[in-house]
Amino acid sequence: MASSLYILPCAIFLVFFFSSPSNADTPSAPSSTPIAPDLACNATLYPDFCKSLLPNNSPLNIYDYGRFSVRKSISSTRKFSALTNAYLTTPVTTLSKNVVRALEDCRLLADLNMDYLSNTINTIGSTTDLPSLKADDMETLLSAVITNQKTCLEGLQETNAPAIVKNSLYNPLSDGNKVSSVSLSLYNRGWVHKRMKGNMEKGRKKKFFCSDMKSCRHGRLPLKMSNRNREIFESIGRRKLHQTDSNEVLVRDIVIVSKDGGGNFTTINEAVAAAPNNTVVSDGYFLIYVVSGVYEEYVTIDKKKKNILMMGDGINQTVITGNRSVVDGWTTFNSATFVVVGQGFVGVNITFCNTAGPSKHQAVAVRNGADLSTFYSCSFEAYQDTLYTHSLRQFYRECDVYGTVDFIFGNAAVVLQNCNLYARLPMAGQFNALTAQGRTDPNQNTGTSIQNCNILAAPELARSNGTTKTYLGRPWKEYSRTVYMKSYIDSLIQPEGWIAWSGDFALNTSYYAEFNNRGPGSNTANRVKWTRPINATDAETFTVSNFILGGDWLPSTGVPYDAGLP
């Protein structure tokens, strides 16, 4: 990720949907009416580029322009992927290890983009009307395409790649990003006529299945499984599952990971490899139960491993740990100990660590690029760039996040609810920023919503006599968006609340807001001028129900959540 003068942060401020006028708000002719390319392009971020892209032999309607631009994006992505592969097949002696890793990131991201764009064109290719969740699905995928392209570029910029490599890749990346931006803008104008409202039900109440409530830090999921799987779980886990009448989480199969050989596998990666590919959530989750222990391995839940439920024995009981960092030659993107890409992942009762330490700068504990993913009662522990909420839609409930510089960052549409965010003691001369959001396009439906959380000092920071300044966040990208709502903010936060990235960069285009927070650090009287108070109506935009449409997909996870403002 991008770096500052001395912190080298790669964090992105997790921020929200900004209420600036979108393309859908721009007065125009009906979407089915043919219009000139100039009129279609004027509301995009790159109007001149858009005009050069769209066909001008005869006017089309917004839907046809949108489909045309998505197909152009597919073509651009395919060509860039081929170019990246060409470099990766050159003799290894010509490229350094960190350049190869950055190119491998780009290849992975381009592969994901081909999936997202193909899904989009297949969905919109023959319709002008989509139900709200499906419309949000496509908006989310097109937003992620832009994020993936930016991540590829940032990874290359972190390396010492030869000029010939950078020069040959930067222009296709830049043009591809513009095509993707035009595609998202035209899609929003055609298919997303207004910001959809989600299912405003009350949310799920907390459930427990622990036999000894004192051993439960938080509620745990009510699981519905076959008698055989239930017997396996209760035998290995030494806890009785309570029967419930409704809202149980359907489990299709279970495997046990135990370092002592008492389960099906001794490593988490073996269990992940055993999971079936491309499942659907209605058939149930593949449960990987990881018994207590410290697992020193780098785990990836790839795109084919959908609907995995990974459950441990509790925070600080089941621990997954690694120590990769940018200083040691990894990109920020691939420094993560635990990586999630497969849709529908649910993680429960696990601690994820990156122990590289503050001197190694960017060192990610978890990178999450999985749509409709959830973490419940988990802990994320590192220093700079702890939790990389990279892309798509995510939810975190009753989790602990520890870090220093930009320690919650990325460009997902993400809600953290009822979590504890702990600022740690950084290196001398550094300050803490809890968030750094990476929204680069005003049409992306991304941002970070922090709701009913506790903003606290970790013990080592609390003992430091206030020598470290700590802020709620800073704008890493031009359209960063972050909102704190109804949270407890302790005295560690500076009165100004937020800090700029560099000069006046993004201060006029970012969206930073606070609503009904409490605690000694919540007073907004001396906040920076580029943040804003919001009312309850604005705050509802960033709730689980509206921001990530959680009422449509969270019930199947069994995780408790508040749909609206608590």
Side-chain angles (χ1 to χ4, degrees):
M1 310 207 10
S3 62
S4 68
L5 292 179
Y6 61 91
I7 299 178
L8 299 178
C10 71
I12 322 173
F13 260 79
L14 290 178
V15 211
F16 295 32
F17 251 108
F18 176 25
S19 58
S20 62
S22 66
N23 293 342
D25 301 319
T26 304
S28 63
S31 300
S32 57
T33 303
I35 59 175
D38 286 11
L39 185 58
C41 290
N42 283 341
T44 68
L45 197 58
Y46 306 102
D48 290 339
F49 180 87
C50 175
K51 294 169 192 174
S52 70
L53 177 73
L54 298 184
N56 57 15
N57 51 340
S58 62
L60 303 175
N61 61 38
I62 284 294
Y63 300 110
D64 290 332
Y65 284 133
R67 296 184 187 103
F68 181 89
S69 63
V70 171
R71 291 189 177 98
K72 281 289 188 180
S73 192
I74 290 173
S75 176
S76 172
T77 301
R78 185 179 291 115
K79 291 177 182 177
F80 180 78
S81 182
L83 183 59
T84 304
N85 280 327
Y87 277 116
L88 285 170
T89 55
T90 59
V92 293
T93 54
T94 63
L95 296 174
S96 65
K97 184 177 293 185
N98 70 335
V99 174
V100 170
R101 287 169 175 164
L103 288 169
E104 288 172 343
D105 291 349
C106 289
R107 179 168 61 184
L108 169 65
L109 293 163
D111 180 56
L112 291 173
N113 281 354
M114 285 298 298
D115 290 346
Y116 299 161
L117 292 164
S118 297
N119 190 335
T120 300
I121 198 61
N122 289 337
T123 300
I124 68 174
S126 59
T127 183
T128 60
D129 187 27
L130 296 173
S132 62
L133 183 59
K134 182 60 69 173
D136 196 68
D137 287 348
M138 299 305 105
E139 186 180 10
T140 297
L141 294 181
L142 291 175
S143 295
V145 168
I146 296 172
T147 300
N148 288 346
Q149 290 166 331
K150 291 293 187 180
T151 302
C152 167
L153 177 61
E154 290 150 10
L156 289 170
Q157 289 171 335
E158 288 179 5
T159 71
N160 58 350
I164 188 173
V165 175
K166 288 186 176 181
N167 292 339
S168 63
L169 292 175
Y170 282 5
N171 284 340
L173 264 178
S174 176
D175 287 347
N177 186 256
K178 290 176 182 177
V179 176
S180 299
S181 176
V182 169
S183 297
L184 176 59
S185 177
L186 296 175
Y187 170 83
N188 283 356
R189 187 169 167 185
W191 283 267
V192 184
H193 302 292
K194 60 183 178 180
R195 184 67 189 150
M196 291 80 65
K197 296 294 182 182
N199 177 15
M200 285 298 294
E201 35 71 66
K202 293 182 179 179
R204 179 179 301 281
K205 300 299 181 182
K206 190 176 294 187
K207 302 274 186 176
F208 297 91
F209 68 68
C210 297
S211 58
D212 177 7
M213 291 305 299
K214 292 182 179 179
S215 68
C216 287
R217 183 177 181 277
H218 297 299
R220 300 191 185 181
L221 304 186
L223 302 180
K224 181 179 181 180
M225 55 180 69
S226 68
N227 289 336
R228 172 184 169 274
N229 284 336
R230 183 175 293 273
E231 289 172 3
I232 292 172
F233 185 88
E234 292 178 346
S235 172
I236 299 293
R238 297 179 294 280
R239 66 172 69 92
K240 190 77 173 175
L241 289 177
H242 288 181
Q243 300 284 353
T244 59
D245 295 330
S246 62
N247 295 332
E248 289 181 314
V249 180
L250 180 62
V251 174
R252 61 186 293 161
D253 204 355
I254 180 173
V255 294
I256 310 295
V257 179
S258 177
K259 294 188 69 175
D260 64 8
N264 305 96
F265 304 102
T266 58
T267 69
I268 298 169
N269 278 307
E270 289 174 314
V272 172
N277 292 334
N278 298 316
T279 62
V280 293
V281 70
S282 58
D283 289 340
Y285 288 95
F286 184 82
L287 173 58
I288 299 176
Y289 173 45
V290 186
V291 302
S292 60
V294 177
Y295 296 81
E296 297 179 6
E297 53 180 310
Y298 297 94
V299 179
T300 295
I301 312 296
D302 72 27
K303 66 178 184 178
K304 294 181 180 179
K305 302 299 181 179
K306 299 179 180 179
N307 303 307
I308 287 180
L309 168 58
M310 186 174 293
M311 180 178 292
D313 274 327
I315 290 175
N316 296 329
Q317 300 301 310
T318 298
V319 179
I320 304 172
T321 185
N323 62 1
R324 290 175 177 169
S325 70
V326 167
V327 170
D328 287 336
W330 301 89
T331 63
T332 300
F333 186 77
N334 60 36
S335 70
T337 300
F338 194 90
V339 173
V340 191
V341 182
Q343 179 175 307
F345 177 84
V346 181
V348 183
N349 297 331
I350 300 172
T351 291
F352 304 91
C353 295
N354 189 314
T355 61
S359 65
K360 295 300 180 74
H361 297 286
Q362 298 99 318
V364 176
V366 168
R367 187 189 87 227
N368 187 1
D371 200 19
L372 312 181
S373 55
T374 308
F375 284 86
Y376 175 44
S377 187
C378 289
S379 183
F380 307 87
E381 302 178 11
Y383 289 86
Q384 182 172 336
D385 295 354
T386 302
L387 176 57
Y388 194 172
T389 55
H390 181 263
S391 54
L392 305 168
R393 293 164 292 191
Q394 308 178 15
F395 179 63
Y396 298 78
R397 172 82 178 203
E398 296 170 37
C399 291
D400 298 335
V401 189
Y402 295 82
T404 55
V405 181
D406 306 336
F407 66 88
I408 300 172
F409 74 104
N411 197 25
V414 55
V415 178
L416 293 96
Q417 192 175 82
N418 294 29
C419 294
N420 299 310
L421 311 183
Y422 292 102
R424 305 179 80 173
L425 186 65
M427 292 192 298
Q430 287 185 323
F431 58 82
N432 288 329
L434 272 67
T435 60
Q437 210 276 336
R439 185 166 171 260
T440 61
D441 193 295
N443 289 291
Q444 288 180 299
N445 64 348
T446 55
T448 299
S449 174
I450 296 172
Q451 181 183 3
N452 199 34
C453 293
N454 297 309
I455 314 305
L456 305 166
E460 68 269 26
L461 181 63
R463 293 192 298 265
S464 68
N465 299 318
T467 57
T468 298
K469 292 184 177 181
T470 299
Y471 303 91
L472 295 172
R474 56 181 183 154
W476 187 54
K477 295 297 180 182
E478 191 170 3
Y479 297 95
S480 294
R481 292 191 301 194
T482 302
V483 177
Y484 285 80
M485 306 189 297
K486 306 193 77 170
S487 293
Y488 176 84
I489 303 177
D490 211 345
S491 58
L492 75 160
I493 298 299
Q494 294 294 300
E496 56 267 39
W498 310 81
I499 187 169
W501 185 269
S502 178
D504 62 356
F505 171 75
L507 300 188
N508 294 323
T509 51
S510 294
Y511 185 88
Y512 287 95
E514 301 175 54
F515 173 74
N516 275 16
N517 296 306
R518 61 196 185 279
S522 66
N523 190 328
T524 59
N526 295 310
R527 289 298 197 248
V528 293
K529 300 302 182 184
W530 40 272
T531 188
R532 68 193 71 196
I534 54 174
N535 59 31
T537 301
D538 295 331
E540 283 285 358
T541 303
F542 306 112
T543 60
V544 164
S545 184
N546 286 320
F547 193 54
I548 58 174
L549 299 189
D552 292 288
W553 57 275
L554 279 172
S556 65
T557 69
V559 171
Y561 64 94
D562 295 306
L565 293 175

